[in-house]
Amino acid sequence: MKRNILDSFFDRLDKIDFRSELGDIFSSLCLGANKLGRALSKQVLCLYYTLKDGDLSGSEKIWIYLALLYIILPGDIIPRRIFGLIGLMDDFAVVAYVIGKVKHKITPEILAKVEHQLDEWFGYEIKKGVSK
């Protein structure tokens, strides 16, 4: 019985067009990028573009949305305002966990979009002594 309820829930979830909600999420990510830094922003953008471009199951969409909301919303388990850099640890943990769940859906095209967006936000990254 429980399994049928969950299957029904995920079937309905697959029919929802999440892409219409992504503009607001992206705007929030842009505003918070400097606070998150390039490393965490890269992981968050991987989730964002995977959600936007990927072929995901209902549960994968939920995991990504929950992670993105956790990053965007002001409430944290370990608040950044109080604990500074240590306050980012819970954000890293949430994002890392969800990345692990959807890493098979992160394509080279998604990674290229992520790098392009990071370069716009933070400037070009210097690799091996040569700027891009």
Side-chain angles (χ1 to χ4, degrees):
M1 180 71 174
K2 270 188 178 179
R3 188 69 186 149
N4 290 337
I5 293 170
L6 285 176
D7 288 340
S8 173
F9 172 75
F10 286 122
D11 287 342
R12 279 187 259 145
L13 186 66
D14 280 336
K15 294 175 185 161
I16 297 172
D17 182 18
F18 287 104
R19 289 184 177 99
S20 63
E21 304 296 326
L22 292 177
D24 292 339
I25 290 175
F26 189 77
S27 297
S28 296
L29 292 176
C30 290
L31 293 173
N34 283 333
K35 292 179 183 175
L36 295 176
R38 190 175 178 112
L40 183 55
S41 293
K42 180 177 183 173
Q43 302 304 311
V44 171
L45 283 172
C46 278
L47 292 178
Y48 171 79
Y49 283 119
T50 301
L51 182 64
K52 185 175 176 190
D53 300 340
D55 178 29
L56 302 168
S57 70
S59 62
E60 290 168 332
K61 289 175 186 176
I62 289 174
W63 280 113
I64 292 175
Y65 258 106
L66 289 173
L68 292 176
L69 287 173
Y70 188 81
I71 295 296
I72 293 168
L73 294 175
D76 266 342
I77 293 171
I78 305 172
R80 279 170 273 188
R81 287 187 197 126
I82 298 170
F83 297 102
L85 284 178
I86 295 172
L88 288 175
M89 291 174 71
D90 60 327
D91 295 338
F92 274 113
V94 167
V95 171
Y97 179 77
V98 177
I99 287 278
K101 290 191 141 311
V102 298
K103 66 182 171 190
H104 60 285
K105 301 285 179 114
I106 301 172
T107 64
E109 293 80 18
I110 289 172
L111 292 173
K113 288 180 184 180
V114 167
E115 287 301 325
H116 177 75
Q117 188 60 55
L118 289 171
D119 288 344
E120 283 187 19
W121 286 349
F122 295 98
Y124 291 106
E125 185 177 79
I126 297 175
K127 294 182 180 179
K128 298 182 184 176
V130 179
S131 64
K132 285 173 121 182

